[in-house]
Amino acid sequence: MMAPASNVTADTDVHYPNTVRACQLVEQSWRNTATLYGYEEYDIDTESKLQNRRRYDIVAGAFSVSAYPSAAYLLRYEHAGCESPRADVEAIAIAKRGLDAMGIKRSAYNLRINDSEMLDLLLSEYLDLDAVQTSLMARLLAQKRTLAPDKFRDRAIDIVGLSHSSEVLQKLSKLLTARSAEDLPEVIRHSECYVNLVALYERLERLGIDNVILDITLAHPEYTGGIIFDFTEADAMHSALLYKGGRYVNNDLQSSVGGQSDMSNIIELLARHTGMRHLESATQAYIVTVGNVLDDAERIAEKLRSERVSVEVDYTGRPIDRQIKEAIKKRVRYVMTVDEQSVAKGLYNLQNIRENSEQQVSFERVVTAVSDRRHHQQYDEDDDVFDLSDIL
């Protein structure tokens, strides 16, 4: 079980409170999204022979060394024992919805897919390789991004033999430039895996997930049963891996679909693209006090807390402008002014710092304003425009 993100403050990479807020945002987005798709939290490593089991957990770990080691946690989710290719779409949709909930725009990342079964078919039927050559070539393709072009070519020639290398390399070059199912050769279009790939593209498009890149070099060792996918930062200077997943054969010899996400890589992306400026304080209202009204301010604060509104009272007695600056610094959205006149009338000045607006409102209206904002935040994070209801 993951430690609460609010406790992740020990390392020097954490610039409190922004990084802590980002950790909380990512973790909550993970949990909310998994729950929306019917996933329950428990240890994925636990043996289970139950079919159609959706489960997730959050564990310590990272895809690579990160600038945010305190945020080194992974989301793991698994749809165990599900043979339907629609589960592949769902696994990708979970990742997309999670990134949406974190405020990460589609232009900030690339979505790549591959199919290990289709790749074997391409290598055996299109390149006419035998079983041993097919296995070796698949491994070589998975290493292509780490090899210089001449080394990749030489190793490919070693696999297929010099006498056949010219024709094979020419065909291989066409495969490497393919970016969608439509770019693949006719020889495999009769196959079930090709039909499923076309259907996957169509279903993703119906969910608003477009610009999906087919990449036959995409490989993750743990996902070898069919569809493979990952989400990577679009910036070529960084290319952080945000999500990866696909289909695999589990310990019970069932075909399952799963995915993983890296918190530290996501936070790096958030820092680069947004500066984390959109992350607000968990405190919803900040009460500034003017005059001898601290007892009244505390009473009002407790009433707000009883309505599930998180409130901080400024006890310092500083000038009102300095109290408001403190609320702005902490990124609290609402500032409520309590003075003798407002207490007497039961009307309070409520400022929305983010929208630069203010109004005189009753206590009840304060609760309504904050609650409405909280509702809209939940809607924005959890209920975006795409769903699977029309295709599942």
Side-chain angles (χ1 to χ4, degrees):
M1 179 71 67
M2 177 180 175
S6 56
N7 292 339
V8 184
T9 58
D11 294 343
T12 56
D13 67 286
V14 175
H15 304 289
Y16 185 85
N18 271 354
T19 301
V20 174
R21 289 173 182 161
C23 290
Q24 293 170 335
L25 170 67
V26 174
E27 181 181 351
Q28 193 59 51
S29 298
W30 282 348
R31 294 186 187 282
N32 288 349
T33 305
T35 302
L36 282 172
Y37 285 84
Y39 284 67
E40 295 186 79
E41 183 175 12
Y42 62 94
D43 188 356
I44 283 180
D45 296 327
T46 301
E47 291 292 333
S48 173
K49 296 184 179 181
L50 294 177
Q51 294 284 338
N52 204 37
R53 173 66 62 86
R54 288 176 165 95
R55 53 190 180 178
Y56 79 95
D57 63 2
I58 299 174
V59 297
F63 294 157
S64 58
V65 177
S66 169
Y68 295 88
S70 296
Y73 290 95
L74 297 174
L75 166 71
R76 305 185 303 174
Y77 59 97
E78 174 190 65
H79 193 167
C82 182
E83 303 288 342
S84 172
R86 294 174 184 267
D88 301 303
V89 178
E90 182 183 80
I92 296 171
I94 287 171
K96 167 65 163 57
R97 189 185 285 271
L99 293 173
D100 286 347
M102 299 168 202
I104 298 174
K105 296 184 180 301
R106 179 65 180 87
S107 59
Y109 60 85
N110 294 321
L111 167 55
R112 301 185 301 162
I113 62 171
N114 192 14
D115 186 328
S116 58
E117 293 182 352
M118 182 190 68
L119 179 60
D120 287 345
L121 195 64
L122 285 167
L123 298 179
S124 61
E125 294 200 13
Y126 181 58
L127 298 189
D128 197 24
L129 304 183
D130 61 31
V132 174
Q133 291 173 324
T134 293
S135 177
L136 291 173
M137 186 64 75
R139 294 180 188 178
L140 178 60
L141 288 169
Q143 299 169 10
K144 183 179 183 300
R145 293 177 179 273
T146 65
L147 297 174
D150 57 338
K151 287 189 176 182
F152 176 81
R153 181 198 62 222
D154 292 344
R155 289 178 61 178
I157 292 173
D158 289 341
I159 292 172
V160 303
L162 186 60
S163 60
H164 300 289
S165 61
S166 178
E167 179 184 359
V168 170
L169 290 179
Q170 191 173 31
K171 288 183 176 181
L172 185 59
S173 178
K174 291 182 179 180
L175 292 182
L176 289 170
T177 60
R179 288 295 176 265
S180 70
E182 295 177 353
D183 299 330
L184 295 175
E186 290 285 346
V187 68
I188 68 155
R189 297 196 178 191
H190 66 281
S191 66
E192 182 180 0
C193 59
Y194 180 82
V195 172
N196 287 339
L197 180 67
V198 172
L200 181 140
Y201 265 95
E202 292 174 350
R203 289 167 183 150
L204 289 176
E205 287 180 359
R206 290 169 67 178
L207 297 179
I209 306 176
D210 54 8
N211 298 323
V212 181
I213 302 168
L214 176 66
D215 185 348
I216 67 166
T217 70
L218 175 61
H220 298 299
E222 61 269 51
Y223 301 110
T224 58
I227 290 294
I228 305 165
F229 69 87
D230 69 17
F231 290 69
T232 58
E233 186 174 357
D235 186 345
M237 293 293 292
H238 301 285
S239 298
L241 180 58
L242 310 175
Y243 278 81
K244 66 177 181 178
R247 186 169 287 276
Y248 62 98
V249 177
N250 64 22
N251 294 334
D252 297 320
L253 301 181
Q254 299 171 332
S255 178
S256 297
V257 180
Q260 300 179 48
S261 179
D262 187 312
M263 177 182 286
S264 54
N265 281 354
I266 290 174
I267 290 176
E268 285 190 38
L269 183 147
L270 284 169
R272 283 193 286 268
H273 284 259
T274 70
M276 304 186 192
R277 291 181 296 273
H278 67 297
L279 302 177
E280 296 184 10
S281 171
T283 303
Q284 296 167 295
Y286 191 96
I287 294 181
V288 303
T289 59
V290 182
N292 186 25
V293 293
L294 286 178
D295 288 342
D296 297 297
E298 288 180 334
R299 174 179 54 80
I300 292 168
E302 286 302 318
K303 288 179 65 178
L304 287 169
R305 290 166 187 147
S306 70
E307 298 289 341
R308 303 182 64 80
V309 175
S310 57
V311 185
E312 178 180 347
V313 179
D314 193 315
Y315 297 128
T316 64
R318 294 173 295 184
I320 188 170
D321 59 334
R322 291 185 59 188
Q323 294 184 55
I324 293 174
K325 285 181 180 178
E326 182 68 17
I328 294 172
K329 180 180 178 181
K330 292 183 174 182
R331 296 187 181 176
V332 181
R333 177 174 287 268
Y334 290 101
V335 174
M336 179 180 181
T337 301
V338 176
D339 55 24
E340 293 176 357
Q341 185 177 15
S342 64
V343 171
K345 292 184 176 181
L347 292 174
Y348 307 92
N349 189 69
L350 183 67
Q351 295 176 258
N352 185 325
I353 299 299
R354 297 297 293 272
E355 297 178 5
N356 195 27
S357 63
E358 61 181 289
Q359 53 185 322
Q360 295 289 318
V361 296
S362 64
F363 172 84
E364 291 75 17
R365 186 68 187 93
V366 173
V367 175
T368 300
V370 177
S371 297
D372 284 350
R373 173 61 192 172
R374 183 169 56 211
H375 170 75
H376 289 315
Q377 284 179 318
Q378 292 172 346
Y379 180 88
D380 293 341
E381 292 174 0
D382 301 339
D383 300 310
D384 45 21
V385 296
F386 73 89
D387 62 64
L388 299 175
S389 60
D390 60 342
I391 61 174
L392 291 182

